[in-house]
Amino acid sequence: MEKRDILSMRYEILEKWLKELGEPSFRAEQVFRWLHRKKVKNFAEMTNLSKALRQKLEEAAYITPIAVCKKLVSQEDGTRKYLFALEGGSVIESVLMKYEYGNTVCISTQVGCRMGCRFCASTLEGVERNLTAGEMLSQIYEIERESGERVSGVVLMGSGEPLDNYENVMDFLELVHHEKGLQLGHRHITLSTCGLVEQMYRLMEEKLQITLAVSLHAPNDAIRKTIMPIANRYNMEELLRACRAYTEKTGRRITFEYALMKSVNDSDDCAKELAERLHGMLCHVNLIPVNDVKERSFSRSDSERIKRFAALLQKRSVETTIRRKLGSDIDAACGQLRRGYLQQE
Ligand code: SAH
């Protein structure tokens, strides 16, 4: 019999499964709390369960293993970058970012990515596999264990396209805010997508209070197609229509991510065109100075250009912020830590 992935089980599934093993229904609450509140890494630590039951669980299930294989801590702002080793030898990256209002963890949803954005390091070798819900949770749990910090926000902005791993991401969102688990409010969670329109329509039907971030990175299809292959599947009009529908259904404001790349998407005309396209939408633009990826030819717009781009949007009533760069001394942007590690091997 194959062992079950217990950390990925929704509460009701766990309850049902324990019943099948002959356990009373209150057992689910005990086990769930050990897993998601106390965040134990093995069954032996579940000390209020009988030895016999712990043994039985050990034989029938496993708790997703995760181990730190590299860690970088910023001396400037305390940002921590982790490279984690998972089952089967996969490695992924996660980041702990410290803000005045709390700690946010950036997690990966896939090993690699198959979206092919030209400026991104995570996608250079395509996707290796989807992460399970338990593996998404365990990034947060391991960071809490390792750093001793409490996590109050999560962004699904590490490697991978969350909507390309839809079911597991939905399980994760359910588990992470469960009242008997970490209890993280959906309002403190941001899911970032490169714009998988079909899945965006599916997502809005779930009526979750999460923030949806959409990687736009261009004011029109012509430019978007040169940097994001997904633009060949869905044009901007379809994408923005889905964004408007999302806001209508959920009442939530959309965040548009826009990585500024020198002479690609950072001109005055680009800013004006973007403002026009977003006119009247309940949204927010987050300008990101693109991280240089050595395998990629794009370079960052200079800071004067970034400020001017922001000002042009703001003048046209588009709410805009420039993303603050955290952990610049540990210089490990989007997927680069993992790549560096893989190349060393
Ligand atoms: N696949 C999802 C989420 C992961 S990427 C998405 O595309 O949104 C998270 C964000 O980082 C996206 O906005 C992505 O476009 C951006 N990103 C990727 N590589 C980057 C780089 N080199 N510099 C700045 N932002 C980058």
Side-chain angles (χ1 to χ4, degrees):
M1 191 182 68
E2 208 180 311
K3 286 193 178 189
R4 297 282 305 265
D5 170 10
I6 198 168
L7 204 61
S8 298
M9 287 186 194
R10 289 187 183 222
Y11 192 85
E12 316 74 59
I13 306 278
L14 179 67
E15 206 170 22
K16 192 164 155 260
W17 181 71
L18 286 168
K19 221 175 244 167
E20 283 163 20
L21 289 183
E23 293 299 319
S25 62
F26 68 85
R27 204 64 85 200
E29 175 152 355
Q30 287 179 318
V31 173
F32 196 88
R33 279 178 186 276
W34 279 116
L35 292 171
H36 300 285
R37 184 66 66 81
K38 302 213 176 79
K39 308 176 191 92
V40 299
K41 288 183 90 167
N42 47 64
F43 296 107
E45 292 174 63
M46 301 184 171
T47 48
N48 64 351
L49 307 183
S50 71
K51 270 223 168 99
L53 176 57
R54 283 184 257 163
Q55 186 65 36
K56 192 153 87 176
L57 291 173
E58 184 77 56
E59 279 158 20
Y62 65 94
I63 303 174
T64 306
I66 184 164
V68 179
C69 58
K70 190 172 175 177
K71 182 182 80 176
L72 299 174
V73 182
S74 164
Q75 297 308 307
E76 286 171 9
D77 52 39
T79 300
R80 287 164 181 253
K81 274 227 157 204
Y82 294 89
L83 197 66
F84 288 127
L86 304 174
E87 181 83 62
S90 300
V91 288
I92 52 161
E93 273 177 56
S94 322
V95 191
L96 170 72
M97 296 167 288
K98 295 180 155 190
Y99 296 101
E100 271 159 33
Y101 50 83
N103 298 317
T104 294
V105 168
C106 173
I107 64 164
S108 295
T109 54
Q110 294 179 314
V111 185
C113 183
R114 62 185 184 124
M115 296 297 127
C117 298
R118 305 260 182 270
F119 45 85
C120 179
S122 300
T123 196
L124 285 162
E125 267 111 32
V127 72
E128 190 179 306
R129 66 173 176 88
N130 282 334
L131 293 185
T132 62
E135 287 170 326
M136 293 176 220
L137 288 166
S138 67
Q139 296 170 58
I140 306 170
Y141 297 175
E142 186 64 20
I143 288 177
E144 284 201 339
R145 281 190 292 257
E146 197 282 332
S147 68
E149 301 273 355
R150 283 280 300 159
V151 170
S152 54
V154 174
V155 295
L156 280 63
M157 289 191 185
S159 296
E161 167 51 49
L163 297 185
D164 189 36
N165 182 14
Y166 193 90
E167 306 294 342
N168 292 350
V169 166
M170 289 309 120
D171 286 345
F172 163 78
L173 291 173
E174 159 73 22
L175 287 163
V176 79
H177 90 141
H178 199 280
E179 52 164 9
K180 295 183 176 76
L182 199 62
Q183 279 183 304
L184 207 73
H186 277 167
R187 286 171 180 270
H188 303 288
I189 298 179
T190 298
L191 184 156
S192 179
T193 179
C194 65
L196 297 185
V197 169
E198 250 166 84
Q199 285 91 323
M200 285 167 68
Y201 279 104
R202 197 170 159 200
L203 180 66
M204 62 186 94
E205 295 306 330
E206 318 264 356
K207 304 254 169 50
L208 303 174
Q209 287 299 298
I210 57 170
T211 297
L212 182 65
V214 175
S215 301
L216 204 55
H217 305 320
N220 58 46
D221 287 312
I223 297 177
R224 202 159 185 265
K225 280 181 186 171
T226 66
I227 50 177
M228 300 179 74
I230 192 68
N232 296 301
R233 180 130 59 106
Y234 305 106
N235 64 33
M236 262 181 74
E237 200 179 310
E238 291 171 282
L239 176 58
L240 295 179
R241 198 181 307 133
C243 291
R244 286 192 200 92
Y246 189 91
T247 300
E248 242 165 65
K249 283 266 177 191
T250 63
R252 303 289 293 161
R253 182 181 78 164
I254 302 263
T255 296
F256 289 110
E257 295 161 277
Y258 196 106
L260 284 161
M261 296 163 228
K262 195 179 233 160
S263 308
V264 175
N265 63 358
D266 66 349
S267 68
D268 285 2
D269 282 345
C270 283
K272 290 174 193 165
E273 190 177 357
L274 181 65
E276 222 163 90
R277 296 206 78 146
L278 302 184
H279 181 75
M281 287 181 76
L282 183 62
C283 69
H284 175 101
V285 173
N286 200 200
L287 297 176
I288 310 161
V290 80
N291 283 307
D292 295 329
V293 173
K294 68 173 187 306
E295 295 83 355
R296 305 300 211 185
S297 53
F298 302 102
S299 50
R300 181 179 304 172
S301 312
D302 55 56
S303 63
E304 283 314 307
R305 181 96 296 271
I306 297 175
K307 280 186 204 147
R308 180 161 166 84
F309 199 94
L312 286 168
L313 291 175
Q314 282 155 349
K315 203 173 125 198
R316 288 162 178 77
S317 308
V318 178
E319 209 182 292
T320 306
T321 48
I322 299 171
R323 183 178 294 173
R324 192 158 63 96
K325 195 160 168 25
L326 288 175
S328 51
D329 58 327
I330 53 177
D331 181 42
C334 317
Q336 287 172 313
L337 196 59
R338 172 168 177 262
R339 264 195 79 68
Y341 181 83
L342 294 178
Q343 281 168 350
Q344 248 176 50
E345 296 254 289

